[in-house]
Amino acid sequence: MQWHDTGSFGMIFVIVLVAFILFNIYRAETKKKELYIRRIPGLNAIDDAIGRATEMGKPVLMVPGIGGLNAISVQALNIFAQVSKAAAQFGTPIRLCVADAAVFTVAQEVIRDVYQQQGLSEKFDPDSVRFVTDRQFAFAAGVSGLILREKVAAAFFLGEFFAESLIFAETANSIGAIQVAGSTEKSQTPFFIAACDYVLIGDEFYAASAYLTRQPILVGSLVGQDWCKILIAACVLFGFMVNSYQRTQTTSLQRMPWSEAEPEAWAQLTPEEQGNFEAVEVMKDTGTPTLVKKENTGLYRVFNPMRDRESLTVTREKKAVVAPLGGGE
Amino acid sequence: MTPEKPTFFEKIQNVDKRILYLILIVLTTIPLFPMFSSIVLPNEPAPHSQAFYYQLMSVPEGKTVFIQSDWTLSTRGENAGHIESLLRTVMSKKLKFAIYTVADPQAPGVYRKYIQSVNAERKRAGMKEYKQWEDYVDLSYFPNAEGTLNAIGSDVRKIFNKRVKDPASGKDRLVFESPVLKDVVKVGDVGLYVVITASNSFDRTVERLSDKTKVVVMCTGVIGPSTLPFFQSGQIKGASIGLKGAVDVEYMMKYGLNYPDSTGKIKVPWSGKEELKADPVVEGMTIARGSLYFMSFHAAIALLILAVTVGNIGMFMARRKKA
Amino acid sequence: MDFLAQVDPRVNFWATQPGSVEMWLKILVGLVISAGAIFALIKMPTRGRRPVVMAFTFLCGLFYVLLWIWPSPLNRKPDEIARSPAEGVSFLLADTLPIVATITNILVAILLGLGVYSLIRLHGGRIIKRHADRGFSVVLLVSMLTITVFGYLDWGMRTFGDKEGKLLDIANWGFVNLGADLLFDGLLQQMDSAMFSMIAFFILSAAYRAFRIRSVESTVLMASALILMVSLLSAVVVVWNGNVTNLAAAMNVPLANPSIGEAGALNFLKISNIASWVTSFLQTPALRAVDFGIGLGALAMGLRLWLGLEKGGVSV
């Protein structure tokens, strides 16, 4: 028997996380003193990388991954806008290769705006932003060819990468380019770490735009994320302590589906009723004390409340039956 | 002043990578020759592979399985073994299946090829072929993964609202009139939901469907570790990871799980879960593509370990000599 | 006009009886609103576009947020009426979800076509402007056209011209079918596989170059990597674990499960158990922690985009 329906706990928790983020955005906008962000080596290296490319007279390569126009690509383009700003100031040529037509359109606008805002519109080369192809390995082949032909001095791989990540990283490494990489795909992080000079791990990628621009909204959002992480860590610790204690206790009560606990009563239901009540669970006394299982702990029940028959009994009026559509051919 | 000639240890820590590539090519190619192809290496299936096989073999006969096949031929080294062993098991258990993809427009062409090849294999062995409409339906490609998976969780009949050809009448009919899907009202009615993928499409599936149906994953080795947090928490019920995962499944198809052979010996024990048994697959091929590639896999990993070891030995000895 | 009707006989806000007045009214209103919106967007001044984009983004995001927050209908049958306005909203959201999913599928499919259009525009422009590398652009466009033509012809033959399914047998293939197979399976898929297999070589050279013991952290990294790589070699694992079992027997240590030869107290020496421990207690918690971080980053980014707080790369 579940006395209180805790099924909304997960949703309320997420709303609290959202509130933390929004509160800190407000806090950053209104506070006079800048909020602190720790040093991220990969992002500090951007200016060095561009300086090196300028000395060598070679271009800077930027690749925002192969995903479509989503939050990750937008974030990558935000970072590349900062890189392009520095490159424009030094007069370093850039190459931005994209694998999605929608991202290509946005990237062209972003980079053109960067040059315009620096007062260097005439220096913007439309060919510097290239749509190669939207096929993964054709894109990998195209970008690798560009790296080898143009001998890029600095390469930035930031965004949604999959199997082609190592192809880019090793090819750029083979010509001695300095590389800064970061992917939200944690499976690709080890490949970048093996082949690249600087790697943004996990949500350092999302922190990058806040770090580079120091816009209050972005910094506040980052601090809000940190509050969320602290809350999650506290929940993990609390859950670990509570569960560790409870799992060492013994009980003869087991939580199980009604169909297993009372098969005779279940068999007497109509198929429609069985369909309605298949989520019903009861606590059955097995008579044999055993260690408390995961499904019987209080915390499990918070996220997976037991449903009883009453809560799943729903009576609604029916509307007039609609005649089935004929053929459709 | 002439530069010093590099010592032996300095040479071995800077071996030309073309030499390494050549050795890799030779070592991975030799085991593929016919004289080696019949060698079956002994194996200990991983716990997540055992859980995967148990879930697959627990599906009652006649139930429908949903297969979300999100891979293309670039990862066929791993995923081809996955889909072949899955189809062989599903067909031998006489389960029905609905197959589709939410990831890549090339994927439908790929899975159709493998359904045809497994069917041809069954025909050659005198077994019943699987026919569209009666035994399986091909629902093809859905471009937007998030929206489609949300809709599958909410109203599967609405999102799979399409027509396929009924060979008996020659007309296009609603898929939910077919024997494959007529008993599926919601996604929880399927016996199992299998995701075969080389990308993070299983993430999206787990987010939206893991609380509505039993989800198992067959994925490449690179993204395999990403499935393990979900396996640990019970959000996915089993995972066949990489080429090793394909070999594990083939091995259990041959020897069962906690299943005693004719001498009473259990070849694949599942430690701590001795009460959970799964039979071997009785008809069709079991040891196949995965096991064929397994020796090459061993050779590649062994070369990797050797290269790393040699590089470190060279580094240490060169440092000692300089000191 | 049956082809305009919803195939599912359920009638709701998004569906109606075929040929009814309601259906024609909904089509007319939809067309008028769409035409008006397109005209208004064309005529809108540039500075008005951002608020429109923000409003649209907010409304579309609001649908999914409401879908998540609002309670979903319980045990709903197709012909039932909502008991209250709140349940009515949940019915509407549940009915709308497949429609929205279909619309997003169509939009994403259009984006596939946008990729083709972009390629044609880009490379066509290079050919017309007599760019230095226009030869490669010619090759690209000719290849694209060829595979498209063969693909469509093959699909047409199979869908409309082959009722008996004869083309499933390769012996019945003609020039078009062989051509489509050669271009797709023979060329495109094999080139994809070849590019992917290059990764094996790159992993070897990257590992050989990067896995050097230079610090405590790199030692730990190397050790765990070696354990996990060895645990993938089943031939080695079986021999190693067998030796542990034999050692246990020789030392008279009780076997935990004699029927399967589990080595009891010495189980921790088995390479598969060591690898399993490293995976379960080191790797998986770390991945979960990274997942939390990435998830929160995506949540924050999504919030900023939804609420229009994201200024984009323009304000540098």
Side-chain angles (χ1 to χ4, degrees), chain C residues 149-165:
Chain C
V149 166
F150 271 95
Y152 269 110
L153 286 175
D154 179 66
W155 171 77
M157 286 172 72
R158 286 173 193 274
T159 311
F160 303 110
D162 180 33
K163 304 275 181 210
E164 301 88 33

Side-chain angles (χ1 to χ4, degrees), chain B residues 69-257:
Chain B
S69 177
D70 292 339
W71 62 284
T72 60
L73 281 181
S74 50
T75 54
R76 65 181 165 186
E78 293 162 300
N79 291 131
H82 286 148
I83 196 170
E84 283 178 346
S85 51
L86 175 69
L87 289 174
R88 287 184 186 118
T89 309
V90 160
M91 291 181 184
S92 81
K93 278 179 64 71
K94 300 180 183 27
L95 299 173
K96 301 186 194 308
F97 65 91
I99 188 163
Y100 54 92
T101 180
V102 297
D104 197 307
Q106 290 182 23
V110 171
Y111 66 63
R112 280 170 201 148
K113 199 171 108 129
Y114 284 94
I115 293 173
Q116 271 179 21
S117 75
V118 173
N119 258 338
E121 185 187 290
R122 286 177 68 85
K123 189 176 175 185
R124 281 195 299 274
M127 293 183 284
K128 179 182 168 289
E129 286 176 80
Y130 257 50
K131 299 222 181 312
Q132 275 224 59
W133 184 263
E134 283 168 34
D135 304 307
Y136 77 97
V137 287
D138 175 5
L139 298 169
S140 199
Y141 172 51
F142 295 87
N144 180 241
E146 289 89 348
T148 304
L149 292 165
N150 257 339
I152 291 173
S154 161
D155 190 341
V156 66
R157 292 203 156 207
K158 204 76 190 229
I159 191 65
F160 287 163
N161 193 8
K162 42 168 72 176
R163 296 172 189 274
V164 295
K165 196 181 294 217
D166 171 10
S169 63
K171 283 187 173 177
D172 281 352
R173 292 173 64 188
L174 287 173
V175 290
F176 283 96
E177 291 175 10
S178 80
V180 178
L181 290 175
K182 66 175 169 48
D183 294 327
V184 176
V185 175
K186 53 187 189 308
V187 71
D189 294 333
V190 302
L192 197 65
Y193 192 108
V194 186
V195 182
I196 312 177
T197 183
S199 64
N200 64 352
S201 59
F202 75 88
D203 263 338
R204 314 217 195 299
T205 310
V206 167
E207 284 164 15
R208 288 157 179 84
L209 299 178
S210 62
D211 56 343
K212 297 186 166 79
T213 186
K214 278 192 204 162
V215 178
V216 293
V217 176
M218 302 180 103
C219 61
T220 54
V222 169
I223 58 159
S226 309
T227 64
L228 294 178
F230 298 120
F231 176 66
Q232 259 193 7
S233 63
Q235 286 162 292
I236 62 173
K237 307 297 182 199
S240 171
I241 296 173
L243 181 61
K244 173 80 169 50
V247 173
D248 288 348
V249 173
E250 287 175 7
Y251 201 75
M252 286 183 283
M253 283 167 71
K254 187 168 172 72
Y255 296 113
L257 178 61

